[in-house]
Amino acid sequence: MSFYILWGEDQNLAEYHPKTIEIHGNIKNRIKSGPTSFVAQSTAFEHETAEDIENVLRQRKFGFTYSRIANPNMAQFEEKINLLEEGIGAIALSSGMAAVSVGLLSILKQGDEFISGYSLFSGSYALFTDTFSRFGIRPVFVNSTNEKEIENAINNKTKLIFIETIGNPRLDVPNLKKISAIAKKGGIPVILDNTLATPSLFKAKNFGADIIIHSASKYINGSGNAIGGVIVDSGTFDFNKDKYDDFAPYKKYGSLAYLAKTRRQIHTNLGTCLSPHNAFLLSLGLETLDLRMKQHSQNALALAEFLSTHKKVKKTSYPGLKNSEFYETAKEQFGNNFGGLLTFELESKEKAFEFINNRTFLRNLPNLGDAKTLIVHPASTIYVDYDDETKEKLGVNDRMIRVSVGIEYKDDIIREFDEILNKI
Ligand SMILES: *Cc1c(COP(=O)(O)O)cnc(C)c1O
């Protein structure tokens, strides 16, 4: 459970496949009695004696006190994700945005700069530009597939590099090994938003991600029924240095300093806790993650191949297409499964709207990672508040439709796209 992880319990379960860990969590610590499925829908937890609760709060004894701090469902979810990412500990939060904000605010303070790819989830872009700027924290945006640009952006105020495994909606794939080498040279950590690949497709730690963040609302949940987020520490970056002087009070936690600081100073104080019921739904979704990611990827590749040869489609972007400029990096990082997200462009905005309005089983929804195939016109929805220049920078245009390819029967998905394209 999470406090065990936070306090350094051996988590080496390397002999088990992720498919087994997704279902059973920490097999070595398994308690062989009690319910197999539960929701601890309780605000607080009683302890037998006054001494017991003191010991729990002082972390001398494992237990729970108040669900804003920790709860059995959160702990179970944290443990599974941490094992899958092969980290040293994890923190579950109320949303992916909570994970991004808390994960970064633990490192950044007034006067700091950080580097971020500008091919970015819209919520993270808004957080960096509209919210962090109010606290004197400055994002420096770069093209995350141009390593020289990243290297040149580092100065003595730079505290971290933030990138997404697969940029959305540009669908570019930064080279994590190269970026990690640059970060190491600069003495700063790489924070990776791994939402689109999940631990099933991408073992980010092996490629140099120091901190891994997920919106669990997407593929981890898998059914579009709960919002949540998670932060995992790979344990590869040492914050015990002058540049990160506000980590000094957490030095006593050794390699767990980042997790302890993030959990106590930021997460608990801001109250970004995950609800027990959502933690339960996310753990449930996690049980089939590996199966689903393979199917999402196979379906998306087949649909991308179909769209890229259709005469009414002007452009198709998917990192698994051999003619994608990101194919080589994607192949090196993900193997043969490239995720479920793709975009395609029609002749005009009108045609894109017509496409959406002619759908049958496709859903017109702005989220992603659902078992159902979702389509959305990003320019008029997710990015509606942005001017054309910003949209261009973020990789969005009026002709584009984004598809989160689901796990329905592949030929049914392709048939629906074919029928609509032939109609419009
Ligand atoms: C959805 C998403 C987020 C934000 O997650 P929420 O759970 O919606 O708060 C962050 N990053 C990426 C890549 C996402 O797709």
Side-chain angles (χ1 to χ4, degrees):
M1 299 251 171
S2 69
F3 274 30
Y4 283 134
I5 295 166
L6 186 52
W7 307 116
E9 175 132 323
D10 175 22
Q11 288 294 312
N12 186 4
L13 287 181
E15 68 262 41
Y16 291 106
H17 189 275
K19 278 193 202 307
T20 310
I21 295 173
E22 281 172 10
I23 292 165
H24 296 292
N26 190 339
I27 294 156
K28 285 182 181 168
N29 280 354
R30 193 168 91 76
I31 299 162
K32 299 190 186 76
S33 64
T36 56
S37 181
F38 65 91
V39 181
Q41 196 71 46
S42 185
T43 304
F45 297 83
E46 192 178 11
H47 293 270
E48 189 67 36
T49 64
E51 288 79 5
D52 283 343
I53 190 165
E54 182 180 10
N55 284 332
V56 170
L57 284 166
R58 288 187 188 281
Q59 264 105 36
R60 291 187 197 126
K61 183 180 169 218
F62 177 73
F64 302 96
T65 55
Y66 191 61
S67 282
R68 175 159 45 76
I69 302 170
N71 168 290
N73 289 99
M74 290 172 213
Q76 185 191 47
F77 175 62
E78 287 167 351
E79 180 172 59
K80 278 190 184 180
I81 289 279
N82 182 56
L83 290 168
L84 293 169
E85 292 285 19
E86 296 174 27
I88 58 167
I91 302 170
L93 305 96
S94 52
S95 68
M97 285 317 302
V100 176
S101 37
V102 168
L104 266 60
L105 284 176
S106 180
I107 303 171
L108 300 168
K109 60 177 191 296
Q110 193 177 19
D112 286 343
E113 285 185 9
F114 67 104
I115 295 169
S116 168
Y118 55 64
S119 176
L120 201 58
F121 172 68
S122 64
S124 301
Y125 183 79
L127 172 74
F128 298 168
T129 52
D130 298 347
T131 313
F132 279 7
S133 57
R134 300 187 67 233
F135 301 97
I137 297 167
R138 196 169 90 86
V140 176
F141 290 105
V142 296
N143 174 355
S144 56
T145 59
N146 181 339
E147 292 91 20
K148 262 260 112 21
E149 215 179 293
I150 298 177
E151 193 160 14
N152 293 339
I154 298 179
N155 63 44
N156 58 9
K157 286 187 187 165
T158 313
K159 290 285 175 75
L160 62 91
I161 299 174
F162 179 84
I163 52 168
E164 292 184 2
T165 313
I166 302 173
N168 165 20
R170 193 184 288 277
L171 299 172
D172 48 353
V173 181
N175 188 314
L176 189 53
K177 262 192 188 151
K178 288 187 184 161
I179 293 172
S180 165
I182 293 166
K184 271 214 173 67
K185 222 169 86 187
I188 55 176
V190 176
I191 319 286
L192 179 79
D193 181 333
N194 198 23
T195 301
L196 260 55
T198 80
S200 163
L201 301 188
F202 189 41
K203 275 282 171 308
K205 180 183 175 175
N206 298 344
F207 289 78
D210 298 298
I211 314 278
I212 302 163
I213 283 170
H214 291 281
S215 164
S217 328
K218 312 292 172 53
Y219 292 105
I220 289 173
N221 172 271
S223 303
N225 61 27
I227 301 274
V230 63
I231 301 169
V232 183
D233 186 350
S234 297
T236 46
F237 189 81
D238 183 6
F239 286 94
N240 183 18
K241 46 180 128 184
D242 291 348
K243 185 163 188 165
Y244 301 93
D245 54 358
D246 60 332
F247 274 78
Y250 297 88
K251 210 172 152 178
K252 61 181 179 220
Y253 297 107
S255 63
L256 300 168
Y258 172 80
L259 286 169
K261 184 176 191 284
T262 305
R263 192 183 273 281
R264 298 179 149 216
Q265 188 189 49
I266 314 293
H267 174 53
T268 303
N269 291 350
L270 287 182
T272 40
C273 52
L274 180 62
S275 89
H277 189 249
N278 280 2
F280 165 76
L281 292 171
L282 300 176
S283 292
L284 201 61
L286 202 50
E287 294 190 357
T288 55
L289 180 69
D290 201 62
L291 279 175
R292 287 185 286 108
M293 289 314 289
K294 305 247 148 81
Q295 195 62 50
H296 281 296
S297 301
Q298 285 171 19
N299 287 357
L301 180 61
L303 182 63
E305 281 171 349
F306 166 78
L307 291 171
S308 64
T309 57
H310 198 287
K311 62 178 191 308
K312 287 194 184 159
V313 175
K314 304 298 166 203
K315 185 179 172 189
T316 309
S317 298
Y318 183 64
L321 286 176
K322 290 212 171 64
N323 64 3
S324 160
E325 60 180 302
F326 309 110
Y327 177 75
E328 289 306 323
T329 309
K331 177 104 186 143
E332 185 193 329
Q333 297 186 161
F334 316 139
N336 292 320
N337 292 294
F338 301 89
L341 207 66
L342 63 84
T343 65
F344 67 100
E345 289 177 27
L346 295 169
E347 200 179 289
S348 61
K349 177 182 176 180
E350 289 67 35
K351 287 282 179 206
F353 272 32
E354 222 183 302
F355 184 96
I356 291 170
N357 294 340
N358 272 287
R359 72 192 184 280
T360 51
F361 77 75
L362 301 176
R363 310 281 174 121
N364 181 24
L365 289 173
N367 64 317
L368 60 92
D370 198 306
K372 305 175 254 318
T373 297
L374 317 177
I375 53 172
V376 69
H377 183 254
S380 64
T381 55
I382 305 164
Y383 298 92
V384 71
D385 291 334
Y386 295 100
D387 58 39
D388 287 347
E389 195 191 333
T390 310
K391 278 186 200 165
E392 184 67 37
K393 241 184 158 175
L394 297 173
V396 182
N397 68 57
D398 263 355
R399 306 174 300 281
M400 175 194 279
I401 292 176
R402 190 185 76 182
V403 188
S404 171
V405 184
I407 55 174
E408 300 96 339
Y409 184 56
K410 183 183 74 190
D411 294 355
D412 284 339
I413 300 174
I414 293 176
R415 183 159 54 94
E416 170 135 357
F417 276 80
D418 193 28
E419 280 171 7
I420 303 174
L421 285 170
N422 292 336
K423 211 184 283 177
I424 64 171

